[in-house]
Amino acid sequence: MSVEAILNTHPRPLIADPAALAGCIDDCVTCAAFCTVCADACLAEEDVSAMVRCVRRCLDCADACTETSRIVSRQTDPDQRTQSAAIEACLAACRACAEECERHAAHHEHCRLCAEQCRRCERACEALLAAVGAA
Amino acid sequence: MSVEAILNTHPRPLIADPAALAGCIDDCVTCAAFCTVCADACLAEEDVSAMVRCVRRCLDCADACTETSRIVSRQTDPDQRTQSAAIEACLAACRACAEECERHAAHHEHCRLCAEQCRRCERACEALLAAVGAA
Amino acid sequence: MSVEAILNTHPRPLIADPAALAGCIDDCVTCAAFCTVCADACLAEEDVSAMVRCVRRCLDCADACTETSRIVSRQTDPDQRTQSAAIEACLAACRACAEECERHAAHHEHCRLCAEQCRRCERACEALLAAVGAA
Amino acid sequence: MSVEAILNTHPRPLIADPAALAGCIDDCVTCAAFCTVCADACLAEEDVSAMVRCVRRCLDCADACTETSRIVSRQTDPDQRTQSAAIEACLAACRACAEECERHAAHHEHCRLCAEQCRRCERACEALLAAVGAA
């Protein structure tokens, strides 16, 4: 379920267009969940030694997405530098994870699905960065 | 988007029925996001001193839901006591948060929506506890 | 640095004896850090396929310790069931991680150090559970 | 206890000088704990409506410090952009939190202690950024 409905009840003006904001939060929390599953699924593969880099990138991405979803969920007295830097950090983690998962997408379906979600989250972060800059 | 598709690509047998498992993870990550927004929205209300307990319960619930979603997302070599204790902790946090948010539901719409999501997550945790016990 | 000094400036009565409370928070945050390093060090070992269970237990333990440190750090309007369930979940994760790390302690020094910290955190959780029950 | 001992047992070359790296991780985990306590202590103050911005900055800082401590704790196959962006995000959050806590330092001792720890963590992040760039 999207956070858009609850964001729209917030007493303060939102930091950006509600759809861009909710889209980024929704994609971040989904991406964190996908990366957590993918890291663990990679660990369970027979070729685990070939998946080490992928586990690592997925763990970083889950952490960055979780943190960023929390920081951009807050509308009260935001600090613009903290906000932008968090989105940038998430974007970098999504990109690095997508690149690695794409290398394994042909032989591990969880990597294919995870890469897709990372790319979706990367685009949502780019859209929110633009929307926040424009706000 | 649900984690069910990616869970179904995991090389190991899942710790529980896929629908119960995915339902709990999906509700946990959504609940963490709702509680993060609600805590922040409470801080922005004029009657903030009446909302202090609600902020606190929302923060606890966001933390418990995040952790539990991560632990139950992992299917590789699970420790049954860790798993069950994490779900129990999440259940307790959802219940405490729902009870407090329900007290403010009539005058703060974010509390009404957050309480609903906490109750949904509470039921998903109960269902997963039953499914894990039966596995 | 210990959180004891800042806990002692909190306007509310603490949920437990300051030394037991600060000890548990300090050990949880240290344990989360040790487990994060140990999971990653296990991934980098040549015998990574033998370390899969250890990675998984370390990741769970890092998540449980982080969440519990946050929940017990809060003194304002605590919910006793949430609090106790969080400490129990942390205790279970520390025990499961210690047991696995101990199996590798003779050949991987990071596992030996991590197991020691998990046992320390397990005892700190037990002490806090007793102190909270007595409060 | 410092993570330096366990970092030194990692099979891979560290991403930076061990003292700078361990210093940053140690300060991040301590700062996350201080900010969690300070946010909650602010909520318990009688002048809570004057502390709203401080609560918010402390929550952001706790999230950023937790995430960054995890990402820089990993030495296996790091992505340099993810790493640097995480440290930058942490730096921004520490700075914003320190600035706000300093405004309340004269009348709330928890803010004074939290501001000090945020400044310490800010310097540790700057030192690690320099050390990572030089690596």
Side-chain angles (χ1 to χ4, degrees), chain B residues 78-88, chain C residues 88-89 91-93 95-96:
Chain B
D79 174 60
Q80 234 210 310
R81 284 232 356 98
T82 301
Q83 210 174 77
S84 304
I87 307 171
E88 298 268 19
Chain C
E88 298 268 19
L91 219 162
R95 200 167 279 161

Side-chain angles (χ1 to χ4, degrees), chain B residues 14-85:
Chain B
L14 301 183
I15 57 170
D17 167 71
L21 181 58
C24 185
I25 298 169
D26 290 344
D27 272 322
C28 279
V29 298
T30 300
C31 196
F34 272 55
C35 287
T36 302
V37 173
C38 191
D40 182 71
C42 289
L43 276 180
E45 295 291 353
E46 280 185 33
D47 61 340
V48 57
S49 59
M51 304 308 293
V52 163
R53 179 188 302 258
C54 199
V55 175
R56 195 259 147 93
R57 299 286 165 94
C58 284
L59 295 176
D60 280 3
C61 193
D63 289 336
C65 286
T66 299
E67 178 225 358
T68 300
S69 72
R70 288 173 169 233
I71 289 177
V72 301
S73 289
R74 299 184 184 117
Q75 312 303 310
T76 306
D77 299 344
D79 174 60
Q80 234 210 310
R81 284 232 356 98
T82 301
Q83 210 174 77
S84 304

Side-chain angles (χ1 to χ4, degrees), chain D:
Chain D
M1 189 162 56
S2 172
V3 295
E4 192 165 358
I6 192 166
L7 276 174
N8 284 326
T9 68
H10 200 291
R12 294 283 177 93
L14 301 184
I15 57 170
D17 167 73
L21 180 58
C24 185
I25 298 169
D26 291 344
D27 272 322
C28 278
V29 299
T30 300
C31 196
F34 272 55
C35 286
T36 301
V37 173
C38 191
D40 181 72
C42 288
L43 277 179
E45 294 292 352
E46 281 184 33
D47 61 341
V48 57
S49 59
M51 304 308 293
V52 163
R53 180 187 302 258
C54 200
V55 174
R56 195 258 146 95
R57 300 287 166 92
C58 284
L59 294 176
D60 280 3
C61 194
D63 289 336
C65 285
T66 298
E67 179 226 358
T68 301
S69 73
R70 287 173 169 232
I71 289 178
V72 302
S73 289
R74 299 184 184 117
Q75 312 303 309
T76 305
D77 299 344
D79 173 60
Q80 236 210 310
R81 285 232 355 98
T82 300
Q83 209 174 77
S84 303
I87 306 171
E88 298 268 19
C90 191
L91 220 162
C94 287
R95 201 168 278 159
C97 190
E99 279 166 14
E100 186 60 26
C101 278
E102 282 162 1
R103 297 184 51 231
H104 306 284
H107 47 289
H108 293 315
E109 183 67 5
H110 48 85
C111 290
R112 193 184 65 74
L113 293 170
C114 188
E116 270 184 20
Q117 180 58 39
C118 289
R119 290 297 182 198
R120 207 173 293 130
C121 195
E122 187 189 338
R123 288 191 299 271
C125 287
E126 287 169 339
L128 184 56
L129 262 186
V132 162

Side-chain angles (χ1 to χ4, degrees), chain B residues 56 60 63, chain C residues 3 6-7 10 14-15 21-22 24-26 28-29 65-76 78 83 87 128, chain D residues 29-30 32-41:
Chain B
R56 195 259 147 93
D60 280 3
D63 289 336
Chain C
V3 295
I6 192 167
L7 276 174
H10 200 291
L14 300 183
I15 57 170
L21 180 57
C24 186
I25 298 169
D26 291 344
C28 278
V29 299
C65 285
T66 298
E67 178 226 357
T68 300
S69 72
R70 288 172 168 232
I71 289 178
V72 302
S73 289
R74 300 184 183 117
Q75 312 302 310
T76 305
Q83 209 174 77
I87 307 170
L128 183 57
Chain D
V29 299
T30 300
F34 272 55
C35 286
T36 301
V37 173
C38 191
D40 181 72

Side-chain angles (χ1 to χ4, degrees), chain A residues 64-77:
Chain A
C65 286
T66 298
E67 178 225 358
T68 301
S69 72
R70 287 172 169 234
I71 288 177
V72 302
S73 289
R74 299 185 184 116
Q75 312 303 309
T76 305
D77 299 344

